[in-house]
Amino acid sequence: MRAIFDERQLNHRPARYFRRGAYITHPEQAERAILIRDMLIANGFAIDSPRDFGDAPIKAVHDPAYVDFFKTAHRRWVEAAGEAEPIPTYHPGRRAGRPSRSIYGELGYYVTDTSVPLSEGMYEAIYWSAQTALEAAERVCAGERMVYALSRPPGHHALKDGANGFCVFNNAAIAANRLSERFGKVALLDIDTHTGNGSLDIFYDRADVFMCSIHVDPSDYPTFYLGYEDECGEGAGEGATLNLTLPSGADEALILSRFDEALSAITRFGARALVVSLGFDMAADDPLSEVKLTGRGFETMARAIVRLGLPTALVQEGGYLGPSLAKNAERFLTSCRDELAQGQPDRGAA
Ligand SMILES: [Zn+2]
């Protein structure tokens, strides 16, 4: 199993995060990806750089004007506001109106919360994070059974036209959209502890991508607004969305039972390929976690995902600077590699 990574993803350097009324050090640090990259090297994974597929595959799931905004946003901010950290003050209301011409207006139009400060290297980082996921998807389209995309910043909170929860381009959705062109029916399984609200937004009315997210009950935990169990998709996508919620404090047995429900649903849907939004922030010691998954739980998930027998792109999402981040990534990815080596049949290939 190969891994994909690009060093330019490290160039986004958010400084502060406004959380519960106070500024803290931003949790989404480049160090996260460095720890996982070094773990991959230590475990002998081959790491390849992504090719450049351009911005068309990104604009296939995001509003093109939204994508273009980030190409010049940081420069425009610096021209207007100088050295202050680019965090929006203004946001549209329920009727969104228009983006406005002002960098201050446009920033709040396209960045829905205060968790996504612009930085000088941000566009480079988000662009190569998306290309990293695309490279994994392309290789799966070309016949590789499972590929891991070390994407950073993460992507699953990015809405069609809104940055949210540290995310700008929805890497996993971009990968799933590419796989749907090749395989038809695709499942996107999100095991990050937070709702894959961006992926829900992007695929809510689509019948070809089954979006399944396991996460802490959003009624009392970020991302708050989407991810309730009665949200099942709409229009052509009715029935192709499944939200499986966990109570705060959920233990490993409960998490794994919901995970089993997710895998059964993916099988019933008839997915021919799989994207996993792979967060490690369900770990008991993750700084943002409210549930209690252990390394053993991550291994159980990894082996069960391989046993689905589907061509699979693993796309990195959350997982923050707690003591076990690299250990859990190691346990998950080496378990995938071991399970693949046992020669499971490739049932999903077209
Ligand atoms: Zn998360």
Side-chain angles (χ1 to χ4, degrees):
M1 184 176 79
R2 287 186 170 274
I4 314 295
F5 179 68
D6 191 293
E7 300 278 337
R8 285 169 282 192
Q9 297 177 99
L10 305 178
N11 293 350
H12 176 46
R13 300 193 177 280
R16 296 183 300 168
Y17 174 43
F18 191 58
R19 184 173 191 246
R20 298 176 184 169
Y23 276 110
I24 62 170
T25 300
H26 203 292
E28 203 292 289
Q29 293 293 318
E31 181 70 14
R32 302 173 51 244
I34 292 168
L35 285 172
I36 297 176
R37 178 201 62 189
D38 292 350
M39 177 280 295
L40 293 169
I41 293 168
N43 282 280
F45 283 94
I47 304 177
D48 291 341
S49 299
R51 289 166 284 175
D52 186 351
F53 299 98
D55 66 9
I58 303 172
K59 290 177 174 175
V61 306
H62 289 293
D63 174 359
Y66 168 78
V67 175
D68 289 337
F69 168 73
F70 288 95
K71 295 177 181 175
T72 58
H74 184 263
R75 179 177 57 72
R76 289 172 60 204
W77 173 276
V78 171
E79 285 168 7
E83 292 302 310
E85 189 164 26
I87 295 173
T89 300
Y90 311 95
H91 293 286
R94 296 290 176 271
R95 286 174 62 83
R98 307 171 201 197
S100 125
R101 286 187 298 115
S102 155
I103 180 62
Y104 302 114
E106 208 169 356
L107 184 65
Y109 189 84
Y110 287 129
V111 177
T112 65
D113 63 24
T114 57
S115 79
V116 195
L118 305 178
S119 71
E120 188 171 8
M122 175 198 243
Y123 187 77
E124 209 170 25
I126 59 179
Y127 182 83
W128 288 103
S129 188
Q131 300 301 327
T132 295
L134 268 168
E135 180 68 46
E138 288 292 340
R139 289 180 182 225
V140 170
C141 287
E144 289 187 41
R145 171 69 163 73
M146 180 174 271
V147 183
Y148 169 60
L150 177 44
S151 289
R152 183 271 164 184
H156 71 145
H157 299 310
L159 310 156
K160 278 178 193 161
D161 63 351
N164 177 268
F166 318 158
C167 301
V168 181
F169 294 157
N170 195 318
N171 310 308
I174 292 164
N177 188 60
R178 175 67 189 102
L179 290 187
S180 76
E181 295 169 356
R182 164 71 177 81
F183 294 97
K185 296 180 86 171
V186 173
L188 172 48
L189 171 62
D190 190 318
I191 58 172
D192 187 282
T193 203
H194 301 95
T195 308
N197 55 326
S199 309
L200 288 170
D201 180 46
I202 288 166
F203 294 120
Y204 206 59
D205 60 357
R206 279 178 58 167
D208 57 332
V209 179
F210 181 68
M211 170 59 198
C212 179
S213 180
I214 308 170
H215 48 259
V216 174
D217 183 346
S219 67
D220 193 32
Y221 186 72
T223 62
F224 296 124
Y225 309 111
L226 292 177
Y228 294 85
E229 296 205 352
D230 60 0
E231 296 164 21
C232 302
E234 67 184 7
E238 182 89 43
T241 291
L242 178 63
N243 290 294
L244 299 167
T245 62
L246 300 165
S248 180
D251 64 11
E252 186 149 291
L254 178 55
I255 296 167
L256 291 177
S257 78
R258 302 245 76 182
F259 175 78
D260 286 343
E261 289 178 57
L263 296 198
S264 298
I266 287 167
T267 300
R268 278 199 305 276
F269 174 74
R272 307 300 299 269
L274 176 68
V275 174
V276 179
S277 269
L278 180 57
F280 293 113
D281 49 7
M282 280 200 196
D285 61 4
D286 187 280
L288 302 186
S289 181
E290 293 200 5
V291 297
K292 297 169 182 165
L293 202 62
T294 69
R296 201 172 64 98
F298 282 111
E299 174 172 349
T300 302
M301 286 184 170
R303 292 186 183 277
I305 286 169
V306 172
R307 285 197 293 265
L308 283 175
L310 296 170
T312 300
L314 307 171
V315 179
Q316 185 62 49
E317 302 286 1
Y320 298 93
L321 293 171
S324 70
L325 173 61
K327 284 195 187 78
N328 288 331
E330 178 178 46
R331 187 86 178 255
F332 189 99
L333 294 168
T334 58
S335 298
C336 286
R337 185 169 64 183
D338 291 350
E339 194 69 32
L340 286 165
Q342 291 175 21
Q344 293 298 320
D346 187 352
R347 292 191 294 268

